[in-house]
Amino acid sequence: MNPRAALEWSLAAVALAAPLSIAGMNLALALLTAAVAWDYRRDERLRASLSAVSRSPAFKLLAAGTAWALASSLTGIDLARSLNALPKELHKLWVFVVLGAALATTRRDKALVGLAGGLATAALIGLTQTASLSGGEAGFVRARGFVHAVVYGEIAGLGLLGAAAYLALGGVEGRARKAAAAVTVLLAAALLLNQTRAVLIALAFVVPAAAWEAPRLRRLLLITALALAAVLALWEVMPTGGRNLRTLLQDGPASSAHRARLILWSGAWKMARERPVTGVGPGNFRRAFEESRLDARLDGERIWGSAHNLYLHQLAERGVPGFALLLALFIAFYAGARRAWRARRDATALWAMSAAVAFAVMNMTETAWQTEQAATYFLLCWLWGAGPRA
């Protein structure tokens, strides 16, 4: 196999494995890294792409955020825990560089098949779990694949945006268009049965934002609004284990998970007020929160390692500078995708722009950026449409 073919096949492997398995995804990324290294000296375009990736505003902010994570670790409440959390930051840098360079210089035909295949497989696994009631506790039927249910929903939501972008703007014809339609339907069904509310809220934000940039999509606003309303109505009658909207409006045990978020957010804000410059250190939210509550349980659990809000979580762990770098990074993601959209007006750029909006919204009630698989899939979406091109 020549270096160019190795790049194409390893990139396809990443696209296939990313929605399914963390281990498989990282193994595929390792193969892609080896392929990039193999082709580096031979291919001048690849070297130029690596340079372009390293100069991009998003990469610079990502690197600055990693550097600040190390700095805040040194002044945090537990250096060992912070150092254990740092590999996740380095993982994002690795993914950004390797995927960015590969996508800039490699044909994407095989990767597009891998992308569709991975998402369709993940959706089918989730649908099968729900149909067989094998996805969790008795009566709890959330589709989840082989990952956490929320991560599954986030990845499926980002994938749905990509499939819908290809259908809305074209770029695929014949069998490829039929495949995109099939993937769209499968992901929509999987999201319905996954029942992650943050994803539904994110989609509600994305459609008006996309319609603002692409006037031809404005006719889809009413259809999308009706679809979201239908999903909410179905959730009210599905055996959800407490995932419907009624639980948000009632007072009782079923609503304790929602009260828990308010307590977590309050705890994160308290940490930020006490250590506004450097925070408690990456990875130390759990210890700081446990110490503040002693042995008290929250929603039946004693251990909480996340504030369930990325922005408050990083404010608590990394202080105001870390929070500012995070906001700047997410703004850079949207701005870069918007520039790509205005330059090309194609489905890949629309996907990147929609994913940037959706991911920012998802992180208001979760910490997807802190989750290796969700963060990697977002970077794949964004780099696919807004990354440097040779």
Side-chain angles (χ1 to χ4, degrees), residues 19-105:
L20 297 169
S21 163
I22 293 176
M25 176 188 71
N26 282 329
L27 178 60
L29 283 166
L31 293 174
L32 182 62
T33 303
V36 168
W38 185 15
D39 203 28
Y40 179 78
R41 295 188 64 181
R42 185 193 66 83
D43 193 336
E44 183 178 347
R45 287 195 313 149
L46 182 60
R47 294 195 296 273
S49 297
L50 283 167
S51 176
V53 167
S54 65
R55 293 195 309 270
S56 67
F59 178 79
K60 291 177 180 177
L61 286 166
L62 194 57
T66 302
W68 182 254
L70 176 59
S72 59
S73 297
L74 299 176
T75 59
I77 61 176
D78 190 331
L79 178 59
R81 289 190 186 215
S82 292
L83 293 179
N84 284 334
L86 284 178
K88 287 187 176 182
E89 306 301 315
L90 298 174
H91 185 274
K92 295 186 187 82
L93 289 172
W94 171 44
V95 168
F96 195 97
V97 169
V98 173
L99 274 180
L103 284 166
T105 57

Side-chain angles (χ1 to χ4, degrees), residues 2 10 14 21 25 63 74 85 98 199 211 252 255 302 364 370 378:
N2 60 52
S10 54
V14 173
S21 163
M25 176 188 71
L74 299 176
V98 173
V199 177
S255 63
R302 185 170 293 157
M364 290 180 180
Q370 304 286 110
F378 167 71

Side-chain angles (χ1 to χ4, degrees), residues 54-349:
S54 65
R55 293 195 309 270
S56 67
F59 178 79
K60 291 177 180 177
L61 286 166
L62 194 57
T66 302
W68 182 254
L70 176 59
S72 59
S73 297
L74 299 176
T75 59
I77 61 176
D78 190 331
L79 178 59
R81 289 190 186 215
S82 292
L83 293 179
N84 284 334
L86 284 178
K88 287 187 176 182
E89 306 301 315
L90 298 174
H91 185 274
K92 295 186 187 82
L93 289 172
W94 171 44
V95 168
F96 195 97
V97 169
V98 173
L99 274 180
L103 284 166
T105 57
T106 308
R107 285 176 56 89
R108 302 183 183 188
D109 306 46
K110 296 181 180 66
L112 189 59
V113 173
L115 197 67
L119 289 168
T121 302
L124 286 170
I125 291 170
L127 294 173
T128 302
Q129 285 173 331
T130 301
S132 61
L133 300 180
S134 62
E137 302 170 3
F140 195 69
V141 295
R142 293 179 73 187
R144 64 182 65 206
F146 302 125
V147 298
H148 189 280
V150 173
V151 175
Y152 179 93
E154 290 162 347
I155 291 174
L158 293 172
L160 177 62
L161 290 174
Y166 275 99
L167 285 176
L169 294 185
V172 288
E173 299 297 337
R175 287 190 300 176
R177 186 169 183 80
K178 291 179 181 177
V183 171
T184 301
V185 171
L186 286 172
L187 288 173
L191 278 173
L192 171 65
L193 299 178
N194 170 256
Q195 300 168 291
T196 297
R197 287 181 294 260
V199 177
L200 194 70
I201 294 170
L203 294 178
F205 274 86
V206 163
V207 176
W212 177 266
E213 289 291 336
R216 71 173 105 168
L217 298 181
R218 289 175 188 171
R219 57 189 170 81
L220 300 177
L221 280 173
L222 178 59
I223 297 173
T224 304
L226 291 174
L228 294 177
V231 169
L232 292 175
L234 283 170
W235 280 3
E236 294 302 307
V237 297
M238 289 170 60
T240 63
R243 302 300 301 176
N244 54 37
L245 294 181
R246 281 196 310 276
T247 58
L248 292 173
L249 305 175
Q250 68 186 22
D251 185 24
S255 63
S256 59
H258 311 109
R259 290 199 300 270
R261 273 186 167 81
L262 296 177
I263 296 172
L264 289 166
W265 297 347
S266 176
W269 181 245
K270 182 174 180 291
M271 293 175 209
R273 290 201 316 271
E274 292 175 352
R275 301 173 69 98
V277 179
T278 58
V280 298
N284 286 327
F285 179 87
R286 173 179 295 180
R287 175 177 167 180
F289 188 73
E290 287 174 352
E291 289 176 351
S292 68
R293 291 184 61 81
L294 299 177
D295 291 328
R297 287 181 176 272
L298 182 60
D299 193 27
E301 296 184 30
R302 185 170 293 157
I303 298 175
W304 288 87
S306 161
H308 274 277
N309 178 305
L310 176 69
Y311 307 100
L312 288 173
H313 185 91
Q314 290 222 3
L315 182 65
E317 288 196 341
R318 308 179 191 200
V320 173
F323 171 75
L325 285 168
L326 175 69
L327 284 185
L329 175 63
F330 278 18
I331 291 170
F333 281 140
Y334 178 74
R338 192 164 180 257
R339 283 195 299 272
W341 164 251
R342 296 201 162 185
R344 300 197 308 270
R345 303 277 175 174
D346 65 4
T348 64

